[in-house]
Amino acid sequence: MKRDILPRHAYVSRRGFLERMAGGLALAGLPGLLATTTEAFEIVPSAASGINWRHSSGKSPEHYLPETTGAGCAFFDYDNDGWMDIYLVNSGKCDFFDPEPPLRNALYHNNRDGSFADVTDRAGVGGGGYGQGVAVGDYDGDGFPDLYVTQYGRNILYHNNGNGTFTDVTEKAGLAAPGWSSSAVWFDYDNDGKLDLFVCQFVEFSKEKNKDCRAGEDAKRGYCIPHLYHPTASWLFHNNGDGTFTDVTKPAGLANHLGKAWGVVASDINNDGRVDLFVANDTVANFLFANRGKGKFDEIGESAGVAYSADGRPRSGMGVDSADFDQDGWMDLFVANVDREMYSLYRNNHDESFDDQSGPTGIAAATQLMSGWGLKFLDFDNDGELDLFLANGNPDDLIERIHPQVGYEEPPLLFRNVGKSFHNVSAEGGPVFQTPLSARGLAVGDFNNDGGADLLISVNNAAPILLRNKVAARNRWLGVKLVGRKSNPDAVGARITYRAQDLERSRTKVGGGSYLSDHDPRIILGIGQRTKVDWIEVKWPLPGGGTERFENLPINRYITIVEGQGKWK
């Protein structure tokens, strides 16, 4: 969200940039997405989905900073019926905003026919504060996913009662985490088999601390640059196994690292069996917290090459993700920034360092005038390669008055993985890729169980957008739900390796990723036009840590694998 911190880079006009972006396939000399030119994603209208909720930012003449950040969303199966439900976060009452009637978050139950029903009131998950993000995790191991809602003010832990309702257990759990929280992630940092919680904190802010920032020749009031506000430390909470958590931020070595954190992903970047944290910071250096065991982390962002831009400047990190996009067995990283800063695709060098490959892959050129929030690696066409979806939108509603080359609302981007590189295929993605949005959160999930990764985009001060995947089902696939027993219940950190005839690939289950959002916990293994999956191997995270191999597998359906049972169902 930084404005004019960096010197201007050379850039084309906005019109020329969008024309180039729309022509990405032609420029790359690529064939279509698949054998035909059918769009990859279609927008599901609210009349069909039944989702008539919308986000309200509470936008005011005072331009309070939280008004521009938007909110998150999630796919999760709250009632364990095998179909992904939807959770949407809204703003609400706080020291600078008192909406009447009150606003609320929304829980939509999947009707299994492509539509959803609003069950928020019955479930008891309406929120009530100025909401930001959501993280899903079965923290008590009872088999039902729980919800952690981050807010500006205090956060909420909703325990899933297993009967379609939730209970606010925040005080008992000790997870209010006051301040301005953004993203959060469930992961098992100490490998004791229980899900712990990392909560990103943004800046020190209140109504009284809001600053009057002006932009343009007429000095119109706008949103301030985050570098004007003081950084804060994020939170790390240890799961005590009895429904309560202990703040271990200081003993873990995190308390002295003051940031302005937006996105976080939990991923084992050095293959030592301990899950690390990559944190995107806004106007200060990004953090890479390397998990050293015994409850301790080292911050290695600068030495790893992920803290700053190539010229050594902090950028405006927002959305993040991690995946082994080049299939070399090591987890890579991605972070999105604001316009003229470019996004970064960090390839893992296998020695706790990374090289930015956004230039060679074409991602830098395609994003030089964009601002990115929600993002995710996903195999949208089930060919076995991990592709990339980026949700964009500038944080500054006056940006076009300052820099006409940059737009306030921006279209999403879709990149197809063609081996060890990416090509911009947005032009054939569908109408949404020509639709400017104030996109913020992004959740990935297969809501109609056809094996295609569908998408949910939260839009600041507007209705969310549900995208149905139209191309994945042309290829074959196997969907896998992992359930830990000795390992953490959500199997965060597990690695699936699979072979389908001449294709061998792996997928690692990370925690979190994107921006303020969470995702379908199932992993879709694409195999293209191959006719069978020969085998899969699951390497469970510690403390289980074993490897199980499965053969005689079905295709084009979902299966569940429970750790230690030696069979799928």
Side-chain angles (χ1 to χ4, degrees):
M1 290 167 53
K2 180 169 38 179
R3 298 268 68 83
D4 289 333
I5 301 302
L6 300 179
R8 276 196 182 188
H9 299 285
Y11 45 78
V12 297
S13 70
R14 175 167 173 79
R15 179 179 178 183
F17 167 72
L18 291 177
E19 288 174 349
R20 184 179 67 185
M21 186 190 73
L25 279 174
L27 290 174
L30 291 176
L33 294 175
L34 291 171
T36 72
T37 58
T38 301
E39 63 195 39
F41 292 93
E42 67 175 356
I43 299 172
V44 181
S46 60
S49 70
I51 300 174
N52 52 24
W53 175 98
R54 64 184 290 121
H55 177 263
S56 175
S57 68
K59 186 174 182 179
S60 67
E62 290 75 21
H63 279 68
Y64 295 108
L65 191 56
E67 296 168 5
T68 192
T69 64
C73 53
F75 281 113
F76 78 124
D77 182 9
Y78 80 94
D79 55 354
N80 283 348
D81 67 351
W83 295 75
M84 288 297 115
D85 310 300
I86 284 174
Y87 191 73
L88 298 159
V89 180
N90 211 342
S91 67
K93 185 175 182 179
C94 64
D95 59 351
F96 64 82
F97 186 41
D98 190 6
E100 188 59 44
L103 300 173
R104 66 177 177 86
N105 302 343
L107 175 62
Y108 280 93
H109 178 260
N110 193 325
N111 294 328
R112 310 186 191 185
D113 60 0
S115 71
F116 295 81
D118 189 336
V119 296
T120 313
D121 292 339
R122 178 180 182 274
V125 290
Y130 199 98
Q132 289 284 269
V134 56
V136 180
D138 181 9
Y139 75 88
D140 58 351
D142 66 355
F144 289 91
D146 309 296
L147 285 176
Y148 188 70
V149 180
T150 62
Q151 302 188 132
Y152 162 69
R154 71 180 289 279
N155 303 333
I156 304 172
L157 176 62
Y158 286 117
H159 175 260
N160 191 330
N161 300 321
N163 60 1
T165 69
F166 292 75
T167 300
D168 182 342
V169 296
T170 312
E171 295 306 319
K172 174 189 174 184
L175 290 179
W180 182 350
S181 297
S182 52
S183 295
V185 61
W186 296 99
F187 75 121
D188 182 10
Y189 79 90
D190 57 350
N191 287 336
D192 66 352
K194 299 184 291 291
L195 286 172
D196 310 301
L197 182 67
F198 181 85
V199 183
C200 293
Q201 290 285 99
F202 194 44
V203 297
E204 293 181 6
F205 183 86
S206 67
K207 180 179 180 179
E208 291 71 27
K209 293 180 180 179
N210 193 55
K211 300 182 186 298
D212 186 348
C213 296
R214 304 281 168 166
E217 294 181 357
D218 56 357
K220 187 174 182 180
R221 184 164 185 167
Y223 292 108
C224 291
I225 307 167
H227 80 77
L228 298 175
Y229 295 93
H230 293 299
T232 59
S234 295
W235 303 81
L236 178 63
F237 294 98
H238 177 260
N239 189 333
N240 299 324
D242 59 0
T244 69
F245 291 77
T246 299
D247 177 4
V248 294
T249 309
K250 187 174 182 178
L254 307 181
N256 292 330
H257 298 285
L258 304 183
K260 302 176 184 181
W262 278 136
V264 60
V265 63
S267 175
D268 181 3
I269 59 98
N270 52 12
N271 286 343
D272 65 356
R274 295 184 290 265
V275 179
D276 313 295
L277 293 169
F278 181 47
V279 180
N281 283 314
D282 195 341
T283 71
V284 296
N286 297 327
F287 295 146
L288 181 55
F289 291 116
N291 188 338
R292 300 309 191 195
K294 298 182 180 180
K296 302 290 185 180
F297 289 81
D298 286 341
E299 201 292 292
I300 62 169
E302 185 172 358
S303 63
V306 300
Y308 301 105
S309 66
D311 58 356
R313 298 175 184 267
R315 291 184 288 184
S316 305
M318 294 181 288
V320 297
D321 199 22
S322 179
D324 181 10
F325 81 90
D326 57 356
Q327 290 295 295
D328 66 351
W330 295 76
M331 298 297 283
D332 309 298
L333 302 172
F334 194 98
V335 61
N337 303 293
V338 300
D339 60 279
R340 294 165 296 138
E341 292 182 349
M342 272 74 83
Y343 306 175
S344 285
L345 172 65
Y346 290 114
R347 177 176 288 153
N348 195 321
N349 293 327
H350 312 173
D351 59 0
E352 294 192 353
S353 74
F354 295 79
D355 284 336
D356 190 347
Q357 296 294 307
S358 58
T361 57
I363 290 172
T367 61
Q368 66 176 350
L369 295 182
M370 311 290 276
S371 297
W373 303 82
L375 58 93
K376 207 79 177 85
F377 288 102
L378 72 161
D379 181 4
F380 79 90
D381 53 0
N382 281 342
D383 67 349
E385 308 295 346
L386 284 170
D387 312 302
L388 184 63
F389 184 93
L390 306 173
N392 308 297
N394 199 280
D396 187 353
D397 61 355
L398 299 180
I399 189 63
E400 293 171 16
R401 303 163 65 97
I402 308 167
H403 298 297
Q405 303 87 354
V406 179
Y408 174 57
E409 296 180 325
E410 301 171 340
L413 293 171
L414 181 64
F415 289 88
R416 189 183 189 200
N417 188 330
V418 291
K420 294 188 177 182
S421 187
F422 289 88
H423 287 295
N424 182 2
V425 294
S426 306
E428 294 189 14
V432 72
F433 297 97
Q434 284 77 49
T435 304
L437 302 170
S438 290
R440 295 297 187 262
L442 169 73
V444 178
D446 180 8
F447 76 84
N448 56 2
N449 281 348
D450 68 349
D454 307 306
L455 303 170
L456 180 65
I457 303 173
S458 67
V459 182
N460 193 33
N461 208 39
I465 294 177
L466 181 63
L467 297 176
R468 180 188 291 116
N469 189 319
K470 295 187 65 178
V471 296
R474 297 182 191 172
N475 280 328
R476 299 183 177 94
W477 55 278
L478 173 63
V480 181
K481 178 182 178 181
L482 298 177
V483 179
R485 287 292 184 250
K486 292 182 179 179
S487 307
N488 68 84
D490 292 356
V492 175
R495 177 172 292 186
I496 298 177
T497 303
Y498 69 102
R499 177 176 292 171
Q501 295 169 265
D502 63 319
L503 178 75
E504 186 169 328
R505 295 288 183 269
S506 70
R507 298 285 183 267
T508 298
K509 186 168 184 184
V510 301
S514 190
Y515 170 80
L516 305 180
S517 302
D518 219 333
H519 317 278
D520 188 334
R522 303 171 298 182
I523 298 173
I524 301 173
L525 310 176
I527 64 171
Q529 289 295 301
R530 298 165 184 86
T531 56
K532 68 174 183 175
V533 175
D534 298 302
W535 52 261
I536 66 174
E537 287 185 350
V538 180
K539 172 67 175 175
W540 296 94
L542 295 170
T547 299
E548 296 184 272
R549 185 183 178 99
F550 303 89
E551 299 178 350
N552 301 316
L553 294 152
I555 58 171
N556 295 343
R557 58 160 286 189
Y558 284 98
I559 64 173
T560 298
I561 296 176
V562 179
E563 181 182 14
Q565 291 190 353
K567 60 183 179 180
W568 56 267
K569 60 180 179 179

